[in-house]
Structures are given as structure tokens and as C-alpha cells.
Amino acid sequence: MAVSVAGEKIKFTMGHTNLENIVDLQKNTANIRNICIVAHVDHGKTTLADSLIASNGIISNRLAGKLRYMDSREDEQLRGITMKSSSISLHFTVDNQEYLINMIDSPGHVDFSSEVSTAVRVCDGAVVVVDVVEGVCPQTQAVLRQAWLENIRPVLVINKIDRLIIELKLTPFEAYIHLQKILEQVNAVTGSLFTSKVLEERAEMGVTEKTSSDTKSSEHFYDWSAGLEETDDSHLYFAPDQGNVVFGSAIDGWGFRIEQFAQMYSQKVGISAQVLLKTLWGDYYLNTKAKKIMKGAQSKGKKPLFVQLVLENIWSLYECVVVRRDKEKIDKIVNSLGLTILPRDSRHTDSKVHLNAICTQWLPISHAVLSMVCNKLPSPLDIAAERVEKLMCVRSRRFDSLPPQIQALRQAFLECKSDETAPVIVFICKMFAVDSKALPQNKLRPLSQEEIAQRREQARKRHAEKLVNQMQKLEQNPPEKTVEISPMNASTKDLHVESPMEQADLSTCLQESQQKEHFIAFARVYSGTIRRGQKLFVLGPKYDPSEALTKLPVRCSPNDDLSIPHLACCTVEDLFLLMGKELENVEEVPVGNVLGIGGLEDYVLKSATLSTSPVCPPFTPLNFEATPIVRVAVEPKHPSEMPQLVRGMKLLNQADPCVEVLVQETGEHVLVTAGEVHLQRCLDDLRERFAKVEISSSAPIVPFRETLIRPPKVDMVNEDIGTQQKIAVIHQKKEDQNKYPEGVIVDSDGLVTLNTPNKLSILSVRAMPLPEAVTQLLEESSDLIRTIEQFNLSVKEGRDTQEINPTTLEAIQKFKQKLEENFVGRKWRNAVDQISSFGPRRCGPNILLNRLESYHRPSMWQCLDKTRNDLGTYKDFDNSIISGFQLATLSGPVCEEPLMGVCFILEKWDMSKVQQLVQTHNQSLTEGQTAKVEELQEQVTSNENSLSELEPRMEKQPRPGDQIQESQTPAESVADSLCNSEAKLTDCYGPFSGQLIATMKEACRFAFQARPQRLMAAMYTCEIMATAEVLGRVYAVLSKRTGRVLQEEMKEGTEMFIIKAILPVAESFGFADEIRKRTSGLASPQLVFSHWEVKKQIIPYGVGP
């Protein structure tokens, strides 16, 4: 196919896609491109995908942008947004090279950002789409950050340029200035990500240089900005002259790179294409007299080349076709471009149809985007070693600290071989459910002409045989009355009629098989070739190959019977080629391709790694931007349908990468979702697909956090609380002592003293609010805290500790320094070194401090201590104290919500009674054994002359290994009972341990209640784009829902205002619908979870001052 660009022919081919061609292209790894389309919501991703799909003849060009082919769900079509990522394989030929493009369309709504994470993991490049009017939005920044974290290369498509012409009515020069600003905004986001990475690397180098240059003079200083100046970042940014930017309008079907215009104008102007490519974008103008390109168009008042040669042509086309509908000029343009327009398009009443017919032939957006993808994005062969190491290093380990067998697999990633010697490595990023009707073996496919003729001939033969059999039966048994045998009678009389019971069973089985949901694994092959029927290891996210190496036999295979945690073996039942909502069976898939795998629903929950080698580490977990925050309790309307609901919730949990399914202590089944739209989709799926029963859901359960605040310094009328009032408060606290149960002692400073139920141990705990900066730091550093806890647990259990990579060690060191800087004051002296645990779940925003004078436990920061000398020893029941703290922080006393920003201080832990009791037991046991020995000696001496009398007595003594006889002496029975009681007291997993856990938990709860308490509400960051006419209505809705406006700014060159506000999650339900109704659809909010905030008005009755 040849397309004319202003008279120039560009050769490329986009024919109809067939399965055999795609299977052949899968074997050429160098010409494979795995890409995903990412953008903010409503920026035109699915419309662009339609244009690319239409280039392969799968859908019509006229339906591109209207069909939304990749949105196969009914609710996606109704809402007009994409809710799940789906893949399709496209064929594209350019410069006599055939390419296979595996394209994934991802959602843009923030509630479904987890789908973007799954798509980005299996791709090598990303097509970032930006609306030219709205510019860089919050989700645009989020997808750029996700692409950066996964180390994939992005290209840019600036979409909806037709809005600059029709809606904003900008001139070509104004549009050029606007496009420059959009590029600057996108590059600013990329630059910030690059800067942070360079500074981290330079910080690591700086630490190394600092240790190696101690002999240098003290005047030497390190310049932190040196790395930014030395590092080449030109290839990271989006620039039209580099060919990684496409300007276009997906809804009108046109798009271009400046390379196309440079090739076309090079002959007309007489300037080389390379010079035009460098000067078409920038402050250059054409001197027509000298036929030279000069610099300084803006200062000399000249039109830039991009305006003169590109934008003015597009503007004139829109003016002729859409605005004026000047038929003569349209015919002149069509003839000059050498296009062929059908009469039905040129006569259509909608001018956009005519425009689309011209643009799809003149500047097809599919050619511009696909050629950019093939030329600028890498193939699977070009995977970076840094990305491979990042995928293989789980739990912040250093790559060079992994065993040699694991490090050898990196070469398999880099080589991307598909032969028999290469190990098979496949990563499953998510599981998705499909109806059984969508499976290839259950689909009704159209018959060919030969098959139709063959089936017609077979039907005629069967019909003739039935007539012959019927005539023979009539000749043998002639009837009394002659009955004319018609073909209808003959065909129906000889049919076998099943009984009603058989028909009911058959219909029930058929209906169940059709309604059954099948799970397909969305995966990518990173090494080797996966085949149908092949046996592979399933490596769970918690699988540790370093520990498994000691247990695995030499040269083990998936056929061996192995019992290793988080390791299973499976057989690949089906392999599918993903074609949007269609699936095609394939026998094998080589390296570098995206595929679907069937039959893994019993082995994989959400994500996993498949391999023929058990030493392959599981891939690092996915980076999810959205936090599940909205929860509802669900139950069936008919209690007898509870088993179906439980099964449906398990299926939903497997099918959605972000949803969480919980069963609370009360027995309620709870769904935790990322937002209101995500919640509605999950409830619809549960009702219609997975459980298939009528369910009733509660109102959304909004999570809260419980915290402490400092005692008030002013009273209700803002007057300072004097000394007399403070004394009154102390007396009030003494009166409140009667409210606590018997045995709980609370002093005036809030120190709680509590005994264990057996009165053998005493605990004293104090609760204090953490500084706000510390709480925020703990919440942001949960991953680092988890790494610290895992390292300390390995040291405590005596296992081999894996070396932590230098980047993580540096981050832990900075984390510790920030904690020391934020713990200011006498009461926080040495607090960082006294940290005993974090909670809840050992990584939360609460701290347990150990201030026991006589107990020096090992430091929390053992990973930073290289010498590891004199670390101290743990007490026997140290873990019980920490477990009690974890339980207390997981469920607070106010409303059973987790605690946040609370520090518990263990000031006293008296175990003297236990030690005395153990010593008494040991002394009694020793005395009893001494008396027994003396008695035996007396018997021996008194009967030393009578050996015959001594032998029977000696035989009565219990031998080693014999069972204790019933005729035990009192001394023996006392000794045995003392041994049993001592074992119960000293056993760190015995009953006394449980009493310590419960006592510590209650002491923390009472210490928490002795301080002023508040609830913390979850808050959304709300960004709203609205016009000036509806600005007042937006503010009215925000104030009604107790929102708080942070910022309001006007977008340059537009009439749109951007409002940034904070909104409580409790007030967010129905907020988006109300905004749209009040503003007639002219404003749309974007809600992203931001932080937790203390709400002064939310104080439980009778709690706190």
C-alpha cells in the first residue's frame, strides 16, 4: 500500500492479519515489539487503538473510534472508559521488514491503575497519549512513573489537535506555542524522574569515594550536581526531531511525525531531509529569497518552519472541509494530494466523515504510530541488564550475593534464545476470567464452501438411507391402511426420542458447561519456548531459591515429586494468542511474546513465575499505584446461597489484581476496592459472573485510624489552662482511676501497670503521640522497615542472612538519620536505638520502645552494624511482648481500627517472681534427689552381706528407657511434678507466654485510653477541571461535602480552571455523579488517595478530653 503525503509516496503494508502469519512472525524475536498504550482517562487511548487495529483489517476504518474494539465488557461500553487491560497482535511492514506488534490497551482511570502495572511489566515500550488541551494530568504522571520504574522506553502521542482548531479556535502560531508548552510539561516529569535516579547513583558513588579517600585533605568537598552535568540525558526526552513524538487526532484518523514532512519538502525546497528534520521543530524560519533556513524566527517576527510548512496546511484543510465546506477547494486539495475519495463520503451530511476519508489516506495515524514503534522502541533482544537484575533481585538483595546458579540465568534473559537448551522462564502478571463460550474449542466458526457442500452431501445420503429403511419395514409389515410416506414423515418417524429426564439432564449439563468461568493467565515468555503439554515449576511470590538449593536433588525436573514450600508443578494445558476479546489456539510460543495460558487456576492466584529450572527466582512484585481503601460487606439475599457467594468471592479475588477479600471476626465477608467505580464493577462481576446469586451490599465502610494528640494547652474558650486547672485535671484523673478494672494501676503521667493473670510478671507501659514528621516517615518507609525486620528475624533464627544491596543500605541509613533528626527533645533521647519493633504487621506507623535498664536486647539496626559484636541476647519471652504490641496496634480500643502515630514505651518488666519460682523448683528437685540417693545407700550398707536380698531391690529401680511404674516413691512424684511446672514456666511458647501477650495487649490499650484520643479520616486528593461558568457550582459541591480547596489555577491558552482540593473518603461516594449533574458534564473530578488526617470534629462520645 502506498499513501501520498502531499504528493510523495510512502510505502508501507498493513494487510489483513491471519494466524499463520503471526505464528511465523513470533519466531523472529528481533522484529517483535511489546507495547502498551497508557494515558490519563479520556485522552484517547482506545480510539487510537481502534485506528491501529483497523490498519490490520480487523475492523473498518469508518468504525475506528466508535466501536471501541478493545472494550469488550458491557459496562466499559456504557461508561465509556476502559476497565481492564487487553492485548492484541498486529502485523506491520515497513521498509521491507515485517514486524509483530503485541499491543496492550490499558485503563486510564485511577481506580484501575493496577491494570496498568500488570501491562507495563510484560512490555518493552510504552505509547504515552496526552490530550493537547488538558495537558499533563495526575494519571499521566503516574503512568510515566510506572514506565520509569519498570525501565521501559516511552514514546509520545499528542492527541486531539483538532480541539485546538474547532473548540479553542487557535491560530497555527498559537497552537505551535501551546504544543511547545505541552512538550515541556511532559519532559519536566521525565526530567524529575531522571534527576532522582542520577542523584541516587551519585550518592552511592559518593559514599564509596568518601571511604576510599580518607587520607585526602579536609578541604575536599563533593559536588552533588556534578552527576547531572556529566550524564547524557538527551535520549530520555521527547523531541520531534528525534522521531519519538507523533502529532495527531485519533478520532479524525490522522497523525504524523515531522520526518514525513521533512522527506516531502526536501525536494520542493531544495534542502536535504536531514537538515529539515533538525530545523522543522524549533526557532527556525525559511528565507525564501536565499532559500536558506535561518535561526531566530521569534526575534525577527517570522513564522517558524513548523507553522509554515505543517500546521497551516492542516488548518486550511479543516477550514475548507469542516468550517466552510467549500467543495471547489476540497476537490483541488484532493487532486493535488492524489487521493481517491468515495462519493458516499464526499456527499455525507456529516463533514467529519468527509474529513476522516481525506485524512486516513493523507496522514494515516496508524502508519505514524506503528513506524515510530518499530523504529524507536526496543525488541525483547534489547532488554537491559539493569532491568533483568531488578526483576530477579527479590526482597532488596544484591544481585552479586545470589548463588552462582541463579546469577547464570541472567545470561538466558539477555540472549533471549528459543532453542531446546534455553531454560523456559515465563512471568504471569495477572489472571483474567473468560466465559466458556469465548474459548476457541467452543466457538462457532463460519464454514467454508467446501465444508458446506460436504455436509449437504452427507445429509442427502442419510436422508436416502432412512427412506430405504422405511420402505423395507413397510414391505415386511404392510399396514391395514395405506399411508403416503412423505419425506417429512420418514425423517421424523425414525428419529430417536429421548425421555424427558434425559433431556433435562442434557440441558443442565450443557448450561453448566456454558456458564462456567475459565481463567487465562496473562503472561510473557522471557526465555525458551513454552509448549502445550509441557511440565513447568510454578514459583510463588514467596519462593526462595537460595534456601531451596539445599533441599533440591541434583538435576531435578518438574516430573520429580518435590515437597518444597511455595513450589509446585503444573502441566500447560492450553496456549492462546490474545486477539482482543478473541482467543486463538497455538501449539507453542517462543521467547519475547505475550500469550495466554489455560489450566493454571489451581496453581496461580494472582501472579507467579513459571520455569523449567527450580533455581529461577520469582519476579519482583508489581508496583501498584492505587491503594485499596473502600470496603463493603456483602451477603446473599437468600442465606442458603452462601456457598455460591464464598466461591464467587474467591474467583473475584483471583480475577482482579487489586481487589482484596476478607472475612472479619464477626463473620462478615468484606470486599476492599480501590474506589467507587472499581467497587461497582466488582459487585457487578460478583452478581452476574462469579457467584450468580442476588447479593445485598452494605453502605461503604470507610476506614479510620486511631491516634493520640498532645494534651490541650487551652480550654474550650481558648483561654490558657492555668496551674489550678492542671491540678483539677490531675484530681479528675485520680477519680477516673475507679473506671479501670481491678488490678490496673494508672498514675497521673499515664503510666499503666498491669500484672499477668498468674501474678508472676508485672508490665508498665506508657503511650505517647509520635511527632507528625515521624509518622509520615514511617508510613512512607514501610518497605524499608519490612526489609529490616526480615534481616533481624534471619539473625535471630540463626539462618544465613542474604546481603542487602548498597542502595537499600543507603536508604536504611538515611531513614535512621531522619528518625534521629525528627526525634527532638529530652523525652525522645536515644529513642532510635531503643526501638524494639514497628507495628502493626511489623512495618506500620507505630513504635515500641524498650527502656528497661537491666535488659539490652539486640539492636533494630543490625543490618547497618558491619562488626556485629556484642549484640546482646533476647529474653525468653521477648517475642511475647512484641506480639502483644502488634495485636494492640492492629485493633485500637476506640472503634477496633488500626493505630497510627502512637509510641508505646515499655518501662518496667518484672520477672523476678518467675525466676524465684524456678530457683525454688530447682532447689526442691535437688533436695528430693539427694534424699532418694541417701536412702538407697543406707539400704545397700545394711544388706551388704546379703547379696541375694540386694538384687531384687536393684531390679525394682527403673532402668534408663523403662516406663515409670505405678509404685513410684513420693520423692520421685514430687520431682516429676516440679520438672513439669518448670517446663511450663520456661517454655516461650507455653501458657505463660500467652498470658504475657494478652497482658501486653491490655496494657497498651489502657495506656492508649489514658491519653487524649482522636480518629484519623482517610483523605482524597481531588483534581477538577472546569470552565469559569461552572466554577461556583463546583465550590458549592465541595463545601457541602466538607472539602477544602488547596489551589486554583487557570490553564494557559484555555478557558479551563484546575482546582486542587482535599476531600474525606467518607464524603466521596456519589461525588463524581453530583459534580457532573450540577455542572452539566462540564467538570470531572479525579480522586486519588492522599493521606490520613486528624478530624477534630470526629471524637467518640466519652473518649478523650
Side-chain angles (χ1 to χ4, degrees):
M1 179 180 180
V3 171
S4 174
V5 180
E8 295 293 322
K9 299 289 184 179
I10 297 177
K11 295 182 180 180
F12 63 94
T13 304
M14 292 182 284
H16 292 271
T17 304
N18 59 55
L19 182 61
E20 291 78 12
N21 195 11
I22 289 180
V23 171
D24 292 338
L25 289 172
Q26 285 184 340
K27 300 175 183 177
N28 186 4
T29 311
N31 285 2
I32 295 174
R33 299 292 184 269
N34 298 313
I35 65 168
C36 59
I37 304 178
V38 294
H40 189 77
V41 65
D42 290 333
H43 277 204
K45 297 180 304 301
T46 307
T47 304
L48 175 62
D50 275 1
S51 299
L52 303 184
I53 294 169
S55 68
N56 273 233
I58 299 174
I59 63 174
S60 169
N61 280 319
R62 298 170 64 88
L63 296 177
K66 305 178 183 66
L67 184 62
R68 301 176 62 87
Y69 182 79
M70 301 297 280
D71 292 348
S72 56
R73 294 173 56 98
E74 184 180 354
D75 48 2
E76 288 179 322
Q77 295 287 343
L78 290 175
R79 287 182 177 267
I81 61 173
T82 305
M83 296 185 180
K84 63 173 180 57
S85 56
S86 50
S87 175
I88 192 169
S89 297
L90 303 177
H91 172 221
F92 181 68
T93 303
V94 61
D95 297 333
N96 298 321
Q97 288 283 333
E98 291 188 347
Y99 291 90
L100 175 64
I101 300 173
N102 298 315
M103 183 187 69
I104 303 175
D105 182 27
S106 62
H109 198 282
V110 66
D111 285 6
F112 308 104
S113 59
S114 59
E115 294 281 346
V116 181
S117 301
T118 60
V120 168
R121 170 59 62 88
V122 298
C123 291
D124 301 306
V127 178
V128 182
V129 183
V130 176
D131 187 334
V132 71
V133 175
E134 296 184 3
V136 176
C137 294
Q139 200 61 17
T140 311
Q141 300 178 13
V143 297
L144 282 170
R145 183 166 57 252
Q146 285 177 308
W148 181 268
L149 291 175
E150 292 291 343
N151 201 10
I152 67 173
R153 190 179 304 172
V155 291
L156 181 65
V157 175
I158 299 180
N159 194 24
K160 301 187 180 182
I161 294 184
D162 59 298
R163 295 183 64 185
L164 300 179
I165 307 172
I166 298 174
E167 292 182 19
L168 303 183
K169 302 185 185 305
L170 300 182
T171 64
F173 182 76
E174 292 172 343
Y176 170 69
I177 299 299
H178 185 79
L179 289 172
Q180 281 185 321
K181 292 179 180 178
I182 296 295
L183 268 177
E184 290 174 1
Q185 292 175 10
V186 181
N187 285 330
V189 178
T190 306
S192 63
L193 296 171
F194 170 74
T195 303
S196 61
K197 180 184 178 182
V198 171
L199 290 179
E200 287 178 4
E201 294 177 352
R202 298 295 296 179
E204 294 177 16
M205 295 174 60
V207 172
T208 307
E209 291 175 5
K210 183 179 179 181
T211 56
S212 62
S213 60
D214 291 336
T215 58
K216 294 184 179 181
S217 63
S218 59
E219 297 179 358
H220 174 74
F221 65 93
Y222 181 73
D223 185 8
W224 292 97
S225 63
L228 295 177
E229 298 174 358
E230 297 171 3
T231 309
D232 180 22
D233 59 347
S234 59
H235 63 285
L236 295 174
Y237 297 111
F238 302 106
D241 56 348
Q242 290 187 6
N244 58 2
V245 179
V246 166
F247 303 94
S249 171
I251 194 66
D252 290 337
W254 63 269
F256 64 89
R257 292 191 296 164
I258 62 172
E259 180 184 355
Q260 299 171 236
F261 282 92
Q263 293 174 357
M264 180 261 296
Y265 282 113
S266 63
Q267 296 180 357
K268 290 189 174 183
V269 182
I271 301 173
S272 67
Q274 292 298 326
V275 174
L276 276 175
L277 182 62
K278 296 295 182 183
T279 57
L280 256 179
W281 181 265
D283 192 25
Y284 300 94
Y285 71 96
L286 179 63
N287 190 336
T288 54
K289 293 182 180 179
K291 288 189 178 181
K292 291 183 179 180
I293 296 176
M294 312 293 289
K295 196 172 183 179
Q298 187 175 0
S299 60
K300 297 178 181 178
K302 303 289 185 178
K303 290 182 182 179
L305 276 177
F306 190 76
V307 175
Q308 184 178 0
L309 302 182
V310 180
L311 293 185
E312 287 186 348
N313 291 329
I314 297 174
W315 256 246
S316 62
L317 177 64
Y318 269 83
E319 185 178 1
C320 294
V321 179
V322 179
V323 181
R324 297 183 179 179
R325 306 196 69 170
D326 191 336
K327 189 176 180 181
E328 294 182 0
K329 286 190 176 181
I330 294 174
D331 293 339
K332 189 180 295 185
I333 292 174
V334 170
N335 293 330
S336 64
L337 295 175
L339 308 179
T340 303
I341 307 299
L342 296 176
R344 66 174 184 179
D345 294 332
S346 58
R347 296 172 186 171
H348 204 284
T349 55
D350 187 1
S351 59
K352 282 281 190 161
V353 176
H354 195 185
L355 177 69
N356 187 274
I358 297 173
C359 291
T360 51
Q361 294 186 51
W362 178 38
L363 298 172
I365 192 172
S366 55
H367 166 68
V369 174
L370 293 179
S371 60
M372 176 177 64
V373 166
C374 295
N375 295 331
K376 296 299 176 181
L377 294 185
S379 70
L381 290 173
D382 301 326
I383 186 170
E386 180 185 359
R387 185 185 182 192
V388 173
E389 294 180 5
K390 192 174 180 181
L391 291 175
M392 296 176 67
C393 293
V394 189
R395 305 181 187 95
S396 304
R397 294 179 181 173
R398 293 175 52 183
F399 182 77
D400 54 5
S401 69
L402 297 175
Q405 299 95 320
I406 300 177
Q407 294 188 37
L409 289 176
R410 182 180 70 167
Q411 196 63 25
F413 278 91
L414 297 176
E415 292 177 352
C416 283
K417 290 184 178 180
S418 57
D419 53 14
E420 296 291 338
T421 59
V424 176
I425 302 175
V426 180
F427 178 70
I428 298 171
C429 61
K430 71 168 184 175
M431 302 287 289
F432 64 96
V434 296
D435 195 11
S436 60
K437 297 178 182 178
L439 296 177
Q441 58 266 28
N442 298 332
K443 287 192 300 184
L444 296 175
R445 60 182 182 86
L447 300 176
S448 63
Q449 294 296 329
E450 296 179 357
E451 291 175 334
I452 293 173
Q454 186 179 2
R455 291 194 178 190
R456 186 185 298 116
E457 186 64 27
Q458 291 175 355
R460 287 175 181 173
K461 288 181 179 180
R462 287 196 301 268
H463 185 63
E465 290 175 359
K466 288 179 182 180
L467 284 177
V468 171
N469 293 335
Q470 187 68 24
M471 292 295 295
Q472 290 177 356
K473 289 181 180 180
L474 288 175
E475 289 176 358
Q476 294 175 0
N477 301 314
E480 296 180 359
K481 295 183 180 179
T482 304
V483 181
E484 182 181 357
I485 301 174
S486 64
M488 184 66 67
N489 292 335
S491 60
T492 56
K493 185 176 179 181
D494 199 49
L495 290 176
H496 170 67
V497 180
E498 297 177 345
S499 64
M501 186 65 69
E502 292 178 351
Q503 291 180 353
D505 293 342
L506 184 62
S507 63
T508 303
C509 294
L510 185 62
Q511 185 177 4
E512 288 181 356
S513 64
Q514 289 179 350
Q515 291 180 353
K516 185 180 179 181
E517 293 287 339
H518 294 265
F519 279 89
I520 307 296
F522 193 93
R524 173 183 167 177
V525 185
Y526 282 88
S527 175
T529 301
I530 185 172
R531 295 176 175 85
R532 181 183 294 183
Q534 189 176 16
K535 286 192 174 183
L536 297 173
F537 288 112
V538 182
L539 315 175
K542 295 183 180 180
Y543 174 70
D544 190 351
S546 302
E547 296 181 1
L549 280 174
T550 58
K551 305 176 183 178
L552 290 170
V554 181
R555 295 181 181 179
C556 61
S557 67
N559 297 319
D560 300 334
D561 187 11
L562 303 174
S563 58
I564 295 176
H566 312 294
L567 178 69
C569 296
C570 71
T571 302
V572 179
E573 295 182 3
D574 295 298
L575 296 177
F576 300 106
L577 176 68
L578 304 176
M579 297 294 293
K581 54 187 175 183
E582 305 291 335
L583 299 173
E584 298 291 343
N585 276 321
V586 290
E587 291 298 324
E588 64 179 30
V589 178
V591 64
N593 288 282
V594 177
L595 75 156
I597 308 175
L600 298 181
E601 53 264 26
D602 296 332
Y603 301 95
V604 180
L605 180 61
K606 291 179 182 288
S607 64
T609 306
L610 306 181
S611 179
T612 53
S613 173
V615 300
C616 177
F619 282 29
T620 54
L622 297 169
N623 299 306
F624 288 151
E625 290 285 332
T627 305
I629 197 74
V630 180
R631 58 179 64 192
V632 293
V634 294
E635 62 180 7
K637 288 192 175 180
H638 303 288
S640 60
E641 296 175 338
M642 179 59 77
Q644 290 94 310
L645 177 63
V646 173
R647 177 180 173 276
M649 293 184 72
K650 289 181 179 178
L651 296 177
L652 176 64
N653 184 38
Q654 191 172 16
D656 195 304
C658 190
V659 75
E660 294 180 6
V661 176
L662 307 174
V663 180
Q664 293 185 341
E665 296 179 356
T666 58
E668 288 182 311
H669 291 75
V670 177
L671 285 179
V672 189
T673 59
E676 189 176 3
V677 181
H678 187 210
L679 171 64
Q680 189 59 46
R681 194 198 75 172
C682 290
L683 292 176
D684 291 342
D685 284 348
L686 193 61
R687 187 181 296 112
E688 298 171 4
R689 297 187 62 185
F690 301 124
K692 295 182 180 178
V693 295
E694 289 294 325
I695 62 174
S696 57
S697 59
S698 67
I701 305 169
V702 180
F704 287 89
R705 294 290 183 267
E706 302 179 25
T707 190
L708 296 178
I709 62 171
R710 294 181 179 179
K713 296 182 180 179
V714 294
D715 56 13
M716 299 292 289
V717 291
N718 290 333
E719 293 183 357
D720 187 23
I721 298 178
T723 306
Q724 298 297 328
Q725 288 177 317
K726 290 182 180 178
I727 295 174
V729 169
I730 293 174
H731 287 297
Q732 180 66 31
K733 287 187 175 181
K734 290 182 179 179
E735 294 177 2
D736 291 343
Q737 176 66 38
N738 299 326
K739 298 180 182 179
Y740 295 103
E742 184 179 355
V744 180
I745 302 174
V746 183
D747 65 4
S748 59
D749 293 334
L751 182 66
V752 175
T753 304
L754 198 60
N755 291 332
T756 55
N758 58 8
K759 309 297 182 184
L760 295 181
S761 181
I762 302 174
L763 296 175
S764 296
V765 180
R766 187 191 308 276
M768 293 176 61
L770 285 173
E772 187 175 349
V774 173
T775 305
Q776 186 177 357
L777 181 62
L778 293 176
E779 194 174 11
E780 294 172 353
S781 307
S782 59
D783 292 335
L784 287 178
I785 297 173
R786 193 177 290 110
T787 303
I788 295 170
E789 289 283 358
Q790 289 174 353
F791 184 90
N792 293 340
L793 184 62
S794 299
V795 173
K796 182 178 179 181
E797 294 178 353
R799 293 187 280 112
D800 293 336
T801 57
Q802 299 292 335
E803 292 189 22
I804 303 176
N805 62 49
T807 306
T808 307
L809 282 177
E810 183 68 21
I812 294 174
Q813 184 67 42
K814 289 182 179 179
F815 170 61
K816 183 180 178 182
Q817 292 176 358
K818 289 181 180 179
L819 281 178
E820 292 173 345
E821 293 172 1
N822 292 319
F823 278 128
V824 180
R826 182 177 55 85
K827 61 182 179 180
W828 297 114
R829 186 178 302 165
N830 299 327
V832 176
D833 295 328
Q834 295 171 351
I835 294 176
S836 186
S837 181
F838 301 91
R841 298 183 179 90
R842 296 184 178 268
C843 61
N846 304 284
I847 290 178
L848 174 64
L849 297 185
N850 176 18
R851 288 188 175 171
L852 301 175
E853 296 179 356
S854 59
Y855 176 33
H856 301 285
R857 71 187 305 277
S859 171
M860 173 62 65
W861 315 100
Q862 297 180 63
C863 56
L864 299 177
D865 187 4
K866 296 182 179 179
T867 58
R868 298 178 187 171
N869 293 326
D870 193 20
L871 295 178
T873 57
Y874 291 92
K875 277 192 175 182
D876 290 338
F877 299 97
D878 186 83
N879 196 42
S880 300
I881 298 297
I882 294 177
S883 299
F885 162 74
Q886 300 293 336
L887 291 174
T889 54
L890 185 62
S891 178
V894 178
C895 52
E896 301 299 327
E897 293 285 348
L899 303 188
M900 187 172 186
V902 182
C903 175
F904 292 103
I905 304 173
L906 181 62
E907 298 192 355
K908 182 181 179 182
W909 183 10
D910 189 1
M911 295 279 287
S912 58
K913 292 184 179 180
V914 176
Q915 296 173 356
Q916 291 176 3
L917 191 58
V918 171
Q919 292 176 359
T920 304
H921 289 172
N922 293 334
Q923 185 178 1
S924 301
L925 180 61
T926 304
E927 292 176 356
Q929 290 177 346
T930 304
K932 178 182 175 184
V933 172
E934 291 176 355
E935 180 184 355
L936 185 60
Q937 288 178 351
E938 290 177 1
Q939 292 178 358
V940 172
T941 54
S942 62
N943 299 300
E944 58 183 355
N945 296 326
S946 179
L947 185 61
S948 58
E949 294 180 4
L950 179 62
E951 289 178 353
R953 294 183 183 180
M954 293 297 293
E955 290 177 357
K956 291 180 181 179
Q957 298 302 322
R959 298 177 182 176
D962 292 345
Q963 294 183 354
I964 298 175
Q965 303 295 326
E966 295 182 358
S967 58
Q968 266 186 325
T969 62
E972 289 176 335
S973 60
V974 169
D976 290 340
S977 62
L978 290 175
C979 288
N980 292 334
S981 60
E982 181 188 355
K984 291 180 180 178
L985 282 174
T986 57
D987 184 11
C988 60
Y989 299 105
F992 182 59
S993 171
Q995 291 187 12
L996 271 178
I997 294 174
T999 304
M1000 182 64 183
K1001 175 186 174 184
E1002 293 301 317
C1004 290
R1005 290 171 72 97
F1006 287 130
F1008 183 85
Q1009 291 175 308
R1011 294 284 183 176
Q1013 306 141 54
R1014 294 293 184 271
L1015 289 182
M1016 301 182 75
M1019 304 297 289
Y1020 274 140
T1021 297
C1022 176
E1023 184 161 318
I1024 307 172
M1025 296 190 66
T1027 58
E1029 295 82 8
V1030 297
L1031 215 55
R1033 300 174 190 175
V1034 172
Y1035 284 153
V1037 177
L1038 280 172
S1039 60
K1040 174 185 173 183
R1041 294 176 176 265
T1042 65
R1044 194 167 70 249
V1045 178
L1046 300 179
Q1047 184 181 1
E1048 175 194 322
E1049 60 181 7
M1050 188 175 185
K1051 256 192 171 313
E1052 294 184 16
T1054 68
E1055 299 178 354
M1056 304 294 291
F1057 284 85
I1058 300 177
I1059 305 163
K1060 294 182 180 179
I1062 288 179
L1063 185 72
V1065 175
E1067 299 289 341
S1068 66
F1069 303 105
F1071 173 73
D1073 292 337
E1074 186 176 1
I1075 282 279
R1076 291 190 187 98
K1077 289 177 183 177
R1078 293 289 299 273
T1079 62
S1080 302
L1082 296 178
S1084 57
Q1086 183 84 356
L1087 300 176
V1088 181
F1089 175 73
S1090 174
H1091 63 282
W1092 300 88
E1093 187 175 289
V1094 177
K1095 304 299 288 183
K1096 295 182 180 180
Q1097 64 269 29
I1098 306 180
I1099 305 176
Y1101 176 74
V1103 175

